[in-house]
């Protein structure tokens, strides 16, 4: 290569590298959206013994201010404030945590100077918290949940870029009115349909058949579809005066099932049971009589499926009309439990509850 070509190549390389480090132009803070980050814990706030520790780390150790400070670019796209509402690994999330979180989110979104909320969260129950909020947030302002699959101390931790994208999304006008969303791994998913599909990969959150809502790319959301089900401001559920949710538990279906767990839940006084049936919510001979008995004792029974995709059809694998059971439609068992708990705060009428499963 001639000396001139070498020089030109060097100038080109230097120009590209300068462009890469040139910070985005700082905007007038008065024109940036105001986003509150509520931190609850999880891997995104986790720390490991070394930069190569990606399992066996400790979740929920890094505080919200440190999470924000680790991504200075956030302050160029939004005015952010952080609140440490909990500091737990999300496998320990409870109904009480959900009620406190929903009340805090609604209080913040009622403030005129709050444009959106990001909730940093463990990934294990992130989809459940997201759906609970999808049904209980009383605002059309964006609420975005975000987590990470690698702790903050790991090489190529995914938390920082996930938080950056979540703040961008929560502060964007395009996100208004779309319900609660999850922004991770550059994808935008709906709270109702997203689920964790892999124990360790960074692209674990997927909506297997119905698909993503869109993508985060080049510092902006790009939407391609939206959920057709009701959420947030269209939801009939109000938790503002609730201090407890009804006991609803899930019974997992499998060959040679032992009904003892179901019987114990009923004896405990559960108000509802979600049966994660095999196939299309099928009821094997080992569990069907016990579910019928539970219904006779006033427990609301929802037939769901362990399969993870597809419709659990009413009067398909069981005569729901005759048994007075409810079907979960396409909600997975853990989300069907959430909708059933909220439904039971309003009614025990199975026709009304079935309508809710076709509405949300
Ligand atoms: N234990 C997991 C949790 O807190 C860690 C994570 O993936 O965030 O959900």
């Amino acid at each position: 290569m001639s000396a001139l070509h070498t020089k030109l190549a060097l100038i080109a390389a230097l120009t590209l590298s300068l462009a890469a480090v040139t910070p985005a132009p700082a905007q007038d803070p008065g024109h940036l959206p105001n986003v509150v980050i509520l931190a609850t814990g999880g891997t995104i706030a986790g720390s490991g013994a070394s930069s190569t520790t990606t399992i066996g780390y400790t979740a929920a150790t890094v505080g919200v201010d440190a999470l924000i400070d680790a991504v200075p670019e956030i302050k160029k796209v939004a005015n952010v404030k952080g609140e440490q509402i909990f500091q737990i690994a999300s496998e320990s999330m409870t109904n009480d945590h959900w009620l406190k979180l929903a009340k805090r989110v609604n209080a913040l979104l009622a403030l005129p100077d709050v444009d959106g909320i990001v909730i940093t969260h463990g990934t294990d129950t992130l989809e459940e918290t997201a759906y609970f909020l999808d049904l209980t947030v009383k605002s059309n302002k964006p609420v975005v949940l975000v987590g990470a699959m690698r702790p903050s101390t790991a090489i190529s931790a995914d938390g920082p870029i996930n938080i950056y994208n979540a703040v961008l999304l929560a502060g964007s006008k395009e996100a208004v009115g779309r319900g609660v969303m999850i922004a991770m791994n550059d994808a935008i998913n709906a709270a109702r349909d997203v689920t964790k599909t892999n124990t360790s990969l960074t692209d674990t959150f997927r909506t297997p058949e119905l698909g993503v809502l869109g993508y985060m790319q080049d510092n902006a959301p790009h939407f391609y579809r939206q959920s057709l089900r009701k959420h947030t401001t269209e939801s009939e559920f109000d938790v503002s005066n609730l201090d407890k949710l009804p006991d609803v538990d899930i019974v997992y279906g499998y060959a040679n099932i032992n009904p003892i767990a179901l019987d114990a839940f009923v004896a405990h006084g559960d108000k509802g049971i979600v049966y994660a049936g095999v196939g299309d919510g099928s009821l094997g001979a080992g569990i069907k009589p016990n579910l019928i008995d539970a219904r006779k004792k006033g427990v609301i029974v929802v037939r769901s499926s362990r399969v993870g995709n597809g419709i659990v059809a009413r009067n398909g694998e069981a005569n729901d009309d005759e048994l007075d059971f409810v079907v979960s439609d396409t909600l997975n068992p853990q989300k069907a439990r959430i909708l059933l708990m909220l439904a039971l705060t309003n009614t025990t009428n199975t026709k009304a509850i079935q309508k809710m499963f076709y509405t949300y």
Side-chain angles (χ1 to χ4, degrees):
M1 183 189 289
S2 71
L4 173 63
H5 278 101
T6 306
K7 199 174 283 181
L8 286 173
L10 191 60
I11 292 166
L14 276 173
T15 309
L16 279 173
S17 62
L18 266 179
V21 299
T22 307
Q27 298 178 34
D28 169 9
H31 291 90
L32 291 179
N34 299 322
V35 174
V36 176
I37 298 178
L38 296 177
T40 73
T43 290
I44 196 165
S47 50
S50 76
S51 63
T52 54
T53 306
T54 55
I55 57 169
Y57 52 82
T58 308
T61 59
V62 177
V64 63
D65 292 336
L67 290 178
I68 295 171
D69 293 345
V71 192
E73 294 83 356
I74 285 178
K75 290 171 181 157
K76 294 187 179 68
V77 296
N79 300 315
V80 291
K81 277 186 194 163
E83 281 187 24
Q84 192 76 47
I85 189 165
F86 317 126
Q87 184 68 297
I88 61 171
S90 78
E91 58 267 33
S92 301
M93 198 60 76
T94 65
N95 292 353
D96 292 344
H97 287 114
W98 283 345
L99 287 169
K100 181 178 178 182
L101 183 58
K103 290 170 184 174
R104 185 60 186 145
V105 166
N106 281 323
L108 286 167
L109 292 178
L111 300 174
D113 62 347
V114 172
D115 299 309
I117 288 181
V118 167
I119 298 168
T120 60
H121 195 290
T123 60
D124 288 356
T125 60
L126 189 147
E127 68 194 74
E128 296 178 53
T129 301
Y131 189 50
F132 182 79
L133 293 173
D134 201 42
L135 296 172
T136 56
V137 165
K138 295 299 174 191
S139 169
N140 62 7
K141 293 178 183 176
V143 175
V144 179
L145 275 82
V146 63
M149 293 304 288
R150 296 177 183 144
S152 61
T153 47
I155 301 169
S156 305
D158 51 332
I161 186 64
N162 284 349
I163 290 181
Y164 177 72
N165 278 333
V167 168
L168 276 171
L169 182 60
S172 73
K173 291 184 174 34
E174 296 86 347
V176 171
R178 292 183 186 268
V180 173
M181 291 180 275
I182 289 83
M184 280 179 69
N185 200 52
D186 300 338
I188 305 169
N189 280 288
R192 182 189 186 277
D193 306 314
V194 73
T195 191
K196 185 172 181 179
T197 62
N198 186 286
T199 56
S200 62
L201 298 185
T202 53
D203 67 346
T204 183
F205 280 98
R206 296 175 177 237
T207 302
E209 294 182 347
L210 298 175
V212 297
L213 296 181
Y215 305 99
M216 291 304 295
Q217 193 173 84
D218 192 20
N219 300 295
H222 302 265
F223 285 102
Y224 295 87
R225 68 177 194 87
Q226 61 188 32
S227 178
L228 298 179
R229 291 300 173 93
K230 286 190 176 180
H231 53 69
T232 59
T233 54
E234 296 178 308
S235 167
E236 65 196 272
F237 305 115
D238 179 357
V239 297
S240 56
N241 296 315
L242 285 183
D243 295 319
K244 186 172 168 23
L245 292 168
D247 285 343
V248 174
D249 287 292
I250 300 170
V251 173
Y252 196 85
Y254 51 89
N256 196 51
I257 186 169
N258 183 332
I260 196 166
L262 168 60
D263 295 344
F265 284 137
V266 174
H268 165 74
D270 274 17
K271 302 298 184 205
I273 289 289
V274 173
Y275 181 57
V278 295
D280 187 10
S282 310
L283 308 177
I287 194 75
K288 185 171 181 179
N290 306 69
L291 286 168
I292 293 171
D293 181 56
R295 183 69 197 105
K296 285 180 180 154
K297 289 175 178 168
V299 177
I300 303 297
V301 174
V302 173
R303 273 195 315 117
S304 184
S305 172
R306 72 180 198 179
V307 163
N309 287 292
I311 298 171
V312 175
R314 188 168 180 82
N315 297 320
E317 286 293 336
N319 189 331
D320 299 298
D321 290 348
E322 182 186 294
L323 299 172
D324 196 26
F325 288 175
V326 173
V327 291
S328 68
D329 189 39
T330 61
L331 283 180
N332 66 26
Q334 55 268 35
K335 293 186 183 175
R337 170 180 172 268
I338 292 166
L339 181 51
L340 181 53
M341 276 196 301
L342 289 169
L344 288 168
T345 64
N346 286 356
T347 180
T348 56
N349 178 296
T350 49
K351 285 184 176 43
I353 295 173
Q354 183 65 78
K355 184 165 180 270
M356 294 173 186
F357 275 85
Y358 291 144
T359 302
Y360 297 103

